[in-house]
């Protein structure tokens, strides 16, 4: 990839429905969409992406810490055809820019950075042409309502 992205160090456990090339391609497209939104994120420091396939069906999970993301995906689902897997990847990649930029003193305010990662992940999927723009406002509104209803009960 051109100089807009740093090197990506890959780690992969087990085999899933997506090839390594498909995963790398999807992650690079999403990262470039985030770069278009936020600008380059320390292009000299490499990213770390670890992928595992512990789930079957539609299960998935992930997390981001510093310059590293961990994607735990379904071995039955193809990354490019599963909206949930693409949403997870784009959300976790958004944390490279959002990260710990917002230190909230109360745990119940953490919804803000998670909501922002959902929103910018959605924007990245559209910019990377991995999702159609139709219905974006509805999806964003539903996401924010979910975070508000969860944090209001805390």
């Amino acid at each position: 990839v051109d100089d807009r992205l740093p090197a990506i160090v890959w780690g992969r456990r087990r085999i899933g429905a997506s090839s390594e090339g498909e995963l790398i391609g999807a992650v690079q497209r999403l990262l470039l969409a985030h770069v278009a939104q936020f600008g380059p994120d320390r292009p000299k420091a490499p990213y770390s992406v670890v992928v595992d396939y512990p789930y079957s069906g539609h299960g998935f999970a992930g997390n981001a810490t510093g310059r590293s993301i961990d994607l735990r995906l379904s071995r039955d689902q193809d990354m490019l055809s599963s909206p949930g897997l693409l949403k997870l990847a784009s959300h976790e990649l958004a944390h490279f820019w959002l990260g710990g930029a917002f230190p909230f003193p109360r745990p119940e305010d953490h919804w803000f950075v998670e909501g922002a990662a959902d929103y910018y992940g959605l924007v990245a999927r559209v910019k990377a042409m991995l999702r159609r723009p139709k219905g974006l406002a509805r999806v964003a509104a539903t996401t924010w309502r979910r975070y508000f209803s969860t944090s209001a009960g805390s």
Side-chain angles (χ1 to χ4, degrees), residues 52-142:
D52 192 7
Y53 298 93
Y55 299 110
S56 60
H58 294 283
F60 55 86
N63 67 306
T65 306
R67 304 282 290 168
S68 180
I69 65 168
D70 177 19
L71 302 174
R72 295 174 302 282
L73 308 176
S74 170
R75 59 186 157 273
D76 304 326
Q77 301 294 314
D78 175 14
M79 176 84 158
L80 294 177
S81 62
S82 172
L85 299 185
L86 284 170
K87 179 180 178 184
L88 171 73
S90 61
H91 170 101
E92 297 304 337
L93 291 168
H95 283 297
F96 285 162
W97 282 266
L98 300 172
F102 307 105
F104 296 106
R106 300 179 317 164
E108 62 267 23
D109 292 334
H110 189 67
W111 65 267
F112 184 81
V113 75
E114 292 303 322
D118 273 357
Y119 172 76
Y120 286 116
L122 178 63
V123 170
R125 291 191 313 276
V126 171
K127 285 184 183 242
M129 296 189 301
L130 295 169
R131 187 197 191 285
R132 291 184 310 212
K134 183 178 179 184
L136 284 183
R138 180 182 42 76
V139 171
T142 300

Side-chain angles (χ1 to χ4, degrees), residues 9-13 20 48-52:
V9 179
W10 286 90
R12 182 171 148 170
R13 292 174 240 144
E20 190 165 2
S48 168
V49 179
V50 177
V51 181
D52 192 7

Side-chain angles (χ1 to χ4, degrees), residues 10 16-28 78-80:
W10 286 90
S18 294
S19 72
E20 190 165 2
E22 289 170 326
L23 285 170
I24 291 171
V27 167
Q28 286 176 336
D78 175 14
M79 176 84 158
L80 294 177

